[in-house]
Amino acid sequence: MERVKVKADLYWASTDRVNDNSSKYQVDLCNLSDAAVKALESMGLEVKTKDSAPQMGSFITCKSKLPIKSYMDDGQQLTGFPPKDDGTPSPQSVKIGNGSTGIALVGFYDWTYKNKSGVSPSLNKLVVTNLIKYEDGVEDIVTLMDDDEEEIL
């Protein structure tokens, strides 16, 4: 099997900004069905689970050296626009929040680095079917602090 189409919940989407831990663009495809897990494992990919994050279920992390393009199901592009001259994400990019859902076309590639080798997932296409926009939350905190009607406990 060269590639497989999977339905997934999207977590920790760093599609237009490199992830601080991996220094790559990445997204976790989570809560994969048993059939998706079986298909991904048949391609040689390792599907993970985390006891510390049970809401993610079975998942894989797709990483890229380039920004990850994603689209809404109506074809509108959400992410993957060319960055600004200073390297920051394009202002038209939408931040994908945890719990968004989508359909991903996942392939794989073999790699060798120093004395190690393996198989990693390759995200060929990502269509977001239910977008939860990630907001930094600064305004929410300010609004909460300005609201003096309720006692803060």
Side-chain angles (χ1 to χ4, degrees):
M1 192 177 303
E2 293 287 320
R3 58 188 188 178
V4 63
K5 198 183 297 186
V6 299
K7 182 178 176 184
D9 293 341
L10 309 175
Y11 280 82
W12 310 115
S14 297
T15 52
D16 281 300
R17 183 182 313 264
V18 295
N19 180 284
D20 292 336
N21 295 324
S22 69
S23 299
K24 293 185 180 179
Y25 301 92
Q26 66 182 57
V27 61
D28 287 350
L29 304 178
C30 303
N31 292 313
L32 299 169
S33 69
D34 291 342
V37 169
K38 185 176 179 180
L40 292 166
E41 288 177 342
S42 75
M43 296 182 338
L45 297 171
E46 178 185 357
V47 179
K48 301 175 184 175
T49 59
K50 276 188 186 176
D51 291 337
S52 61
Q55 74 278 11
M56 293 173 62
S58 297
F59 72 96
I60 60 171
T61 301
C62 295
K63 298 178 184 177
S64 174
K65 293 178 183 176
L66 301 172
I68 297 171
K69 288 185 180 181
S70 67
Y71 302 87
M72 287 298 297
D73 49 6
D74 65 3
Q76 174 191 349
Q77 186 173 346
L78 295 173
T79 64
F81 298 100
K84 295 192 302 189
D85 290 340
D86 65 1
T88 60
S90 166
Q92 64 196 89
S93 292
V94 174
K95 292 181 182 178
I96 300 170
N98 287 347
S100 295
T101 58
I103 298 172
L105 186 59
V106 180
F108 67 93
Y109 63 95
D110 296 309
W111 56 267
T112 302
Y113 180 72
K114 296 189 178 179
N115 293 331
K116 296 182 180 181
S117 63
V119 179
S120 291
S122 175
L123 184 58
N124 299 125
K125 188 166 188 176
L126 178 60
V127 176
V128 178
T129 54
N130 181 33
L131 175 65
I132 298 172
K133 289 185 181 178
Y134 175 81
E135 302 293 341
D136 291 329
V138 174
E139 294 104 16
D140 295 338
I141 293 170
V142 171
T143 303
L144 179 63
M145 296 306 292
D146 290 342
D147 185 5
D148 59 5
E149 293 178 20
E150 293 184 36
E151 182 181 354
I152 299 173
L153 303 175

